[in-house]
Amino acid sequence: RSGEPTQFLIEVATLTGRQSGLLRDSVVTCENLATVDKPLILRKIGSLPPDAMDRINDCLKASLAIP
């Protein structure tokens, strides 16, 4: 399902994957959005470079039907 416009695949073998710090391939899914209180976050497992965040913003726009 990572081919959906509301999803973004991060493969650890790619440059983006290596920059992320993630340990395994992951999919950012933007269909079911939820907020989480900051105290409930126990640790940070990675971060994404700006170009990947731009792609995630596109996924969010697709999910929320924002042009």
Side-chain angles (χ1 to χ4, degrees), residues 9-33:
L9 174 63
I10 303 163
E11 296 176 287
V12 294
T14 64
L15 177 62
T16 297
R18 289 189 300 275
Q19 291 174 332
S20 73
L22 298 172
L23 300 177
R24 51 180 64 103
D25 293 349
S26 302
V27 176
V28 177
T29 306
C30 295
E31 293 103 3
N32 297 314
L33 304 177

Side-chain angles (χ1 to χ4, degrees), residues 4 9 17 19 22 37 43 47-48 50 55 58-60 66-67:
E4 298 289 324
L9 174 63
Q19 291 174 332
L22 298 172
D37 286 332
R43 64 187 170 93
S47 62
L48 296 173
R55 297 275 312 276
D58 292 340
C59 293
L60 288 167
I66 297 172

